[in-house]
Amino acid sequence: MKRKVILLAAAILTLSLTAGCQKQKDENLPQESETTSGIHIKNETDVKLDENRIILEQSFHTELGDWGDVRFISYGPAAGSDFEDVSFYLMKNGKVAFAFPYYGENNKTDQYAGLFDSVESVAFHDVNGDNLKDVIVIINYITGAGPQGMEPRPKARIFLADKKGFILAKDMTDDVNDHIEEKDMSMGHIYDYLKNK
């Protein structure tokens, strides 16, 4: 009996250590410097994205101003994470070069959106007339409230380009979400709304 207890304790300890190492490996992000433009990665070679979390159908190669040819990455929440939001990155030469700023504190959705469901669309378009391509994303969330609570509901997110990266245009994002009805949320309606502001 004593031997079984020791073997069980050893197995639990081994599993705990393995799980801890796996979590550390997946989240082995470098020291970052926060700016109004998002998170600039100091040491590109240390950033590892979990390939299983990349949303392939909403990740694209594109040409973005001074960044040149980059891959825009839509990166889903970790499996089993509570209220973790989608995040976005730019990759250049196979390495993460820029992490877009989060909308919610600690990249959590519980205060404003519900549970992340999917990235509906991504567009690269100059929305503020500065001749730099901005990034517009429509993201679906499940609120769980009301009769249609399990039906995904779209919310826009707008990142404005500047010389250093991209700034979360929170006021512009909130304005679009407040004034375009969910049934009308599309890139065309967002462009038209912002053009007529």
Side-chain angles (χ1 to χ4, degrees):
M1 180 70 176
K2 188 175 182 181
R3 183 174 180 210
K4 285 183 181 179
V5 171
I6 292 172
L7 287 174
L8 180 62
I12 291 171
L13 180 62
T14 302
L15 287 173
S16 298
L17 291 174
T18 304
C21 290
Q22 182 64 36
K23 184 174 182 184
Q24 184 178 4
K25 179 181 167 190
D26 289 344
E27 297 174 0
N28 188 19
L29 296 177
Q31 294 295 317
E32 302 163 344
S33 59
E34 282 282 352
T35 70
T36 57
S37 299
I39 301 169
H40 291 276
I41 307 300
K42 287 183 179 177
N43 186 352
E44 296 174 350
T45 58
D46 289 344
V47 177
K48 303 287 186 231
L49 297 182
D50 180 350
E51 290 289 326
N52 296 321
R53 291 174 60 187
I54 294 175
I55 304 168
L56 294 175
E57 63 274 10
Q58 296 299 338
S59 297
F60 309 96
H61 284 280
T62 187
E63 189 81 24
L64 285 178
D66 291 344
W67 292 96
D69 181 34
V70 291
R71 184 175 178 214
F72 176 85
I73 301 290
S74 295
Y75 193 67
S81 61
D82 289 335
F83 294 104
E84 183 180 351
D85 204 354
V86 63
S87 47
F88 303 100
Y89 297 91
L90 286 184
M91 292 187 77
K92 189 165 179 73
N93 301 322
K95 297 174 184 166
V96 172
F98 183 78
F100 285 77
Y102 300 146
Y103 184 90
E105 186 175 338
N106 298 319
N107 203 32
K108 295 290 186 180
T109 64
D110 54 336
Q111 297 298 314
Y112 71 92
L115 295 173
F116 168 77
D117 178 71
S118 60
V119 176
E120 184 173 314
S121 57
V122 177
F124 308 97
H125 183 79
D126 179 13
V127 297
N128 60 351
D130 63 358
N131 295 318
L132 297 172
K133 284 185 187 173
D134 305 305
V135 178
I136 306 98
V137 185
I138 298 175
I139 306 164
N140 291 318
Y141 296 95
I142 296 173
T143 64
Q148 288 85 28
M150 295 310 288
E151 184 178 311
R153 298 171 179 266
K155 287 193 174 283
R157 191 164 311 161
I158 301 167
F159 300 99
L160 298 177
D162 70 7
K163 294 294 182 186
K164 297 176 185 173
F166 291 86
I167 299 167
L168 172 63
K170 199 162 189 174
D171 289 342
M172 186 182 288
T173 294
D174 292 344
D175 184 36
V176 164
N177 288 324
D178 289 344
H179 290 94
I180 297 179
E181 291 186 41
E182 290 175 358
K183 67 180 178 62
D184 295 326
M185 188 66 74
S186 68
M187 291 301 174
H189 281 105
I190 293 170
Y191 299 155
D192 290 344
Y193 178 77
L194 294 174
K195 184 171 61 175
N196 295 318
K197 284 292 289 172

